[in-house]
Amino acid sequence: MQHESTPPPGPRTRRTEGTRVHGRAERVVSAVLTATHEELGRVGYGALRIEDVAARSGVNKTTIYRRWPTKSELVAASLRAANEEQEAVDTGTLRGDLLAVVMRSVRLCQTPTGRGIVRMLQMERADPEVEAISRALRDRRQQRNTAMLERGITRGELPADVNLELIHDLIFGGIFTRLIQRGEDVSEDYAAAAIDTVLAGARAGAARLPR
C-alpha cells in the first residue's frame, strides 16, 4: 500500500512537537487536526490525502508538512488530540470518573466521524502504520484508565490487592464489545449498571490478585 509520507521540496523548519501551542499557531494546529479527524472518518487512512486536509482546514499544505512530515504523524496527532479531553477527568469518585470516561467515548463513537474512525481502525488494521497508531492509542488509554483505578485505591474505594487489569477489562472490554463489535447502543444507565456491578464485586473481594 502506498502512503503519502514525503513532504514537498523546500526548506525544512523546526516543527513543534505535540499539540500544545498558543496564539495563531494554536489555531492552525487545531484547524489541521480537526480537519484530519474529519477526513479520517470520511475516507479512512489509506485514502486520506494531505491536499484534502489542507483544503478542509484552510491551511497551506507546506505548513502542514513542516509540522507533521508524514501522514502517520499527522493522523496520530489528530487521534491523540481527539482523546485529550478525557485526560483530566477527576470527578472525585471512581464511579464518577469511570462513567464520565465511558460516556465521553460512547458519544464520540456515535458521531459520524467517530464511527468512520472506528471502522478505519478495524478494517485497515493490517496496515503497519494504522496498527502502530492504534497500539499507541490503546497503550495511552490503558495508562490513563489504570491511573484512574489507582486513584480509587488511594481513596479507599477499591481494595489494595485488587486486580486492576481485570477491573479494566471487565468494564471497558464489555461496554465497547457491545458498542463497537455488536453495534448496540450503550445508554448511561447501562454503563452505570455495568460499572456498579464490577465495582461491587471488586469491593467484595472477587477481583483479588492471586497470592
Side-chain angles (χ1 to χ4, degrees):
M1 180 180 299
Q2 295 295 318
H3 293 308
E4 184 178 353
S5 59
T6 303
R12 295 291 299 274
T13 61
R14 181 179 177 272
R15 61 192 178 96
T16 302
E17 295 296 338
T19 60
R20 297 180 185 276
V21 291
H22 303 283
R24 182 180 179 278
E26 182 179 26
R27 293 192 295 274
V28 167
V29 167
S30 178
V32 172
L33 296 183
T34 298
T36 303
H37 200 248
E38 292 169 351
E39 281 295 300
L40 196 60
R42 186 177 71 88
V43 302
Y45 184 82
L48 186 142
R49 302 189 319 143
I50 303 301
E51 288 85 351
D52 295 332
V53 172
R56 183 181 282 267
S57 65
V59 175
N60 188 279
K61 183 173 71 171
T62 303
T63 300
I64 296 174
Y65 272 120
R66 283 173 177 166
R67 193 175 295 275
W68 302 281
T70 67
K71 183 169 77 171
S72 63
E73 288 180 273
L74 175 60
V75 168
S78 172
L79 293 177
R80 281 196 305 271
N83 283 277
E84 272 186 358
E85 67 177 46
Q86 297 184 14
E87 297 297 318
V89 169
D90 189 352
T91 66
T93 68
L94 177 58
R95 181 186 188 275
D97 291 351
L98 288 166
L99 188 58
V101 167
V102 165
M103 292 313 299
R104 284 186 184 184
S105 298
V106 167
R107 286 190 287 270
L108 178 62
C109 290
Q110 289 174 333
T111 65
T113 297
R115 286 194 295 269
I117 289 172
V118 168
R119 186 168 57 248
M120 178 273 296
L121 291 173
Q122 290 178 318
M123 297 181 66
E124 299 187 58
R125 62 176 178 262
D127 184 314
E129 291 181 3
V130 173
E131 172 55 27
I133 291 168
S134 180
R135 184 171 60 252
L137 288 173
R138 287 195 305 270
D139 289 347
R140 178 59 190 148
R141 283 195 299 268
Q142 179 87 23
Q143 292 169 4
R144 178 200 67 205
N145 294 337
T146 297
M148 185 167 48
L149 293 170
E150 288 172 342
R151 287 202 306 269
I153 293 176
T154 300
R155 289 192 295 243
E157 297 172 280
L158 286 175
D161 60 350
V162 73
N163 187 326
L164 295 181
E165 184 177 6
L166 177 59
I167 298 299
H168 179 276
D169 290 350
L170 288 173
I171 293 174
F172 291 96
I175 286 174
F176 289 105
T177 293
R178 177 183 175 92
L179 178 69
I180 295 172
Q181 301 297 332
R182 288 158 46 189
E184 298 178 14
D185 184 46
V186 174
S187 68
E188 187 163 344
D189 287 344
Y190 179 93
I195 290 167
D196 288 342
T197 300
V198 174
L199 292 183
R203 288 170 185 141
R208 288 195 179 99
L209 289 167
R211 293 186 182 278

